[in-house]
Amino acid sequence: MNIHIPTPLRAYTGGLETVSVTGTTVSSVFQQLTVQYPELKPHLFTPEGKLRSFVNVYLNDDDIRYLPNKEETPATDTDELTIIPSIAGGTSCRL
Amino acid sequence: MLRIHYADYEALRAHGEETYPNECCGVLLGKNIAGEGDGAPVNSAAAVNYVQQIVRAGNTRTDSAHNRYHIAPQELVKIQRQARGLGLDIVGFYHSHPDHPAQWSKTDFAEAHWLGCSYIITSVEQGKAILTNSFLLSGTGEDDKNFEDQAIQIDIAPNVAEAAALNQKGQA
């Protein structure tokens, strides 16, 4: 299946925007991805192996955090996975 | 350096005026000139984030929109898809600081994760856009990330030939 890589992480995929990985579930796809591109791993996962809180992963149009089976959701070659870090901020408190 | 067309620069400032007293937010689509396609660091000092198009986004922080912004990841996925269709990349983001300096805040820094991308901030005082600054999120990860002041070059007339060449590269 195709995985779309956001601009900041392309330095770890040889500049590729889209990489192709095989796997039957989201977690096995991620497993393969980090075997193919090991430098990606610390940017996606905490040392404990959990997906970093600011990293969002979409299987087609669905956030995997909200899918019933989460990372164990089945994936096929025609599915697309998108990795997208969060965007937020603001003044937060006034001077 | 950040390069942006005058019309886009004016449009992102106008967005901040329109949403005042709330924060606006949006995405910068274009090309990172130093880093394109070769795996070279996108955040080296010589890199240029060349904006070809800006995309307005919605601020999901309706609970605290006057001092916070957040773009829904689903909207971001769509924008990234749109960029791909145009042969462009996400090279940065913009937001406004209503009645607050055009300087990144602790919150901006804590929530910034797009290394190599530009973060444009416009101060909007009493509904009028005042200063616009750009900051490059440099570093290699969460532990050594840093916001660096980034010069903005505003192109008065779009360089059509240059843009076409960039787009062609993006589609290759």
Side-chain angles (χ1 to χ4, degrees):
Chain A
M1 72 184 309
N2 283 336
I3 305 179
H4 298 297
I5 309 292
T7 30
L9 296 181
R10 291 181 202 163
Y12 311 110
T13 59
L16 292 175
E17 190 276 338
T18 303
V19 298
S20 195
V21 166
T22 53
T24 52
T25 62
V26 171
S27 70
S28 67
V29 165
F30 263 108
Q31 169 72 18
Q32 276 302 313
L33 176 70
T34 52
V35 166
Q36 256 173 267
Y37 302 100
E39 285 180 279
L40 272 179
K41 200 169 182 178
H43 298 279
L44 298 174
F45 298 98
T46 64
E48 294 75 39
K50 293 193 89 174
L51 195 63
R52 291 190 179 275
S53 59
F54 59 84
V55 176
N56 303 295
V57 178
Y58 275 72
L59 180 64
N60 303 315
D61 289 320
D62 297 314
D63 187 332
I64 61 159
R65 288 191 178 98
Y66 301 110
L67 289 171
N69 296 320
K70 299 186 166 47
E71 287 90 343
E72 296 317 311
T73 303
T76 68
D77 283 351
T78 56
D79 287 326
E80 291 200 331
L81 208 66
T82 302
I83 298 169
I84 201 105
S86 62
I87 301 295
T91 59
S92 189
C93 56
R94 286 164 193 274
L95 290 174
Chain B
M1 180 193 283
L2 177 89
R3 277 186 70 178
I4 188 167
H5 299 145
Y6 179 70
D8 287 332
Y9 176 79
E10 281 299 296
L12 67 85
R13 284 165 59 81
H15 192 192
E17 293 183 345
E18 285 170 39
T19 60
Y20 182 88
N22 293 330
E23 297 197 6
C24 73
C25 47
V27 185
L28 313 174
L29 307 186
K31 281 284 167 191
N32 178 276
I33 307 297
E36 57 178 320
D38 56 5
V42 292
N43 52 7
S44 61
V48 177
N49 280 330
Y50 187 11
V51 179
Q52 296 291 301
Q53 191 172 317
I54 67 165
V55 182
R56 288 186 175 202
N59 182 359
T60 67
R61 288 299 300 263
T62 48
D63 57 326
S64 192
H66 66 288
N67 64 4
R68 292 297 302 267
Y69 81 94
H70 172 260
I71 302 176
Q74 195 154 25
E75 186 171 12
L76 217 48
V77 170
K78 282 184 189 154
I79 294 170
Q80 186 166 272
R81 234 174 246 159
Q82 183 184 340
R84 197 158 57 242
L86 294 166
L88 302 175
D89 302 318
I90 292 176
V91 294
F93 307 92
Y94 70 87
H95 74 282
S96 61
H97 279 180
D99 298 319
H100 200 87
Q103 175 64 38
W104 56 270
S105 69
K106 280 183 183 173
T107 310
D108 287 330
F109 183 71
E111 303 274 13
H113 307 295
W114 286 69
L115 297 161
C117 284
S118 301
Y119 285 72
I120 294 181
I121 300 173
T122 298
S123 62
V124 183
E125 291 175 17
Q126 303 300 316
K128 178 85 187 132
I130 306 294
L131 267 180
T132 296
N133 287 324
S134 183
F135 304 95
L136 174 72
L137 188 67
S138 63
T140 58
E142 288 299 303
D143 297 333
D144 69 347
K145 71 179 182 180
N146 192 29
F147 265 141
E148 291 176 17
D149 293 353
Q150 185 177 45
I152 303 178
Q153 178 181 317
I154 300 167
D155 296 329
I156 301 301
N159 187 331
V160 177
E162 201 171 3
L166 275 175
N167 288 344
Q168 233 169 13
K169 272 185 193 174
Q171 284 159 4

